[in-house]
């Protein structure tokens, strides 16, 4: 799954512009969060695309800062302490977590997106959760 963070001046219609641009490129949004910090909007997207670089360029042409990153999708049992197990494995092996959020909960499983500083290492460490 590809992750794209867009940083742009906050204004009315920004979410419309971003989602409309993605729709026109036939890019499906798997997860989105938007937060306003001061006068800036930070939009974090999990998207399904084969052309993340092209999508990034669309937003850069609009004058937005766009940062792509690899995101790991992990499947956890939907019960207390499961995310802690993953965090422990990463911490004990020197992998820093940069972002984590729950994408979906269905029955006994929770799907989490985790962005880390060492994605290849984390993928090997967390293979049982993927």
């Amino acid at each position: 799954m590809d992750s794209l963070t867009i940083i742009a001046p906050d204004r009315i219609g920004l979410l419309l512009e971003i989602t409309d641009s993605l729709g026109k490129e036939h890019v499906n949004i798997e997860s989105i969060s938007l937060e306003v910090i001061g006068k800036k909007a930070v939009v974090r997207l999990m998207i399904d695309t084969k052309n993340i670089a092209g999508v990034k360029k669309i937003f850069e042409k609009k004058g937005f800062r766009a940062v792509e990153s690899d995101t790991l999708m992990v499947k956890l049992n939907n019960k207390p302490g499961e995310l802690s197990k993953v965090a422990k494995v990463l911490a004990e092996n020197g992998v820093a977590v940069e972002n984590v959020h729950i994408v979906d909960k269905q029955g006994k499983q929770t799907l989490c997106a985790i962005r880390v500083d060492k994605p290849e290492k984390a993928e090997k460490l967390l293979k049982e959760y993927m």
Side-chain angles (χ1 to χ4, degrees), residues 4-60:
L4 187 67
T5 300
I6 299 168
I7 302 167
D10 182 40
R11 61 178 166 72
I12 293 173
L14 178 63
L15 180 61
L16 170 61
E17 183 176 355
I18 290 170
T19 56
D20 188 54
S21 296
L22 292 169
K24 287 178 180 173
E25 294 297 318
H26 306 287
V27 174
N28 195 33
I29 299 170
E30 300 294 332
S31 175
I32 185 170
S33 70
L34 184 148
E35 183 175 357
V36 176
I37 303 169
K39 295 183 179 186
K40 297 284 184 185
V42 179
V43 183
R44 291 183 181 91
L45 298 159
M46 298 281 299
I47 54 178
D48 186 10
T49 182
K50 295 184 184 345
N51 185 14
I52 188 72
V55 173
K56 181 180 171 186
K57 283 183 182 180
I58 290 167
F59 294 110
E60 289 173 338

Side-chain angles (χ1 to χ4, degrees), residues 14 24 31 42 61 64 84 95 99 102-103 113 118 120:
L14 178 63
K24 287 178 180 173
S31 175
V42 179
K61 285 181 183 177
F64 302 159
S84 176
V95 178
N99 182 282
I102 293 172
V103 175
K118 300 171 190 158
E120 292 92 19

Side-chain angles (χ1 to χ4, degrees), residues 85-97 114 116 122 125-126:
K85 291 176 186 176
V86 169
K88 181 178 181 180
V89 168
L90 295 173
E92 288 178 346
N93 287 279
V95 178
V97 175
I114 302 176
V116 297
L125 292 167
L126 301 177

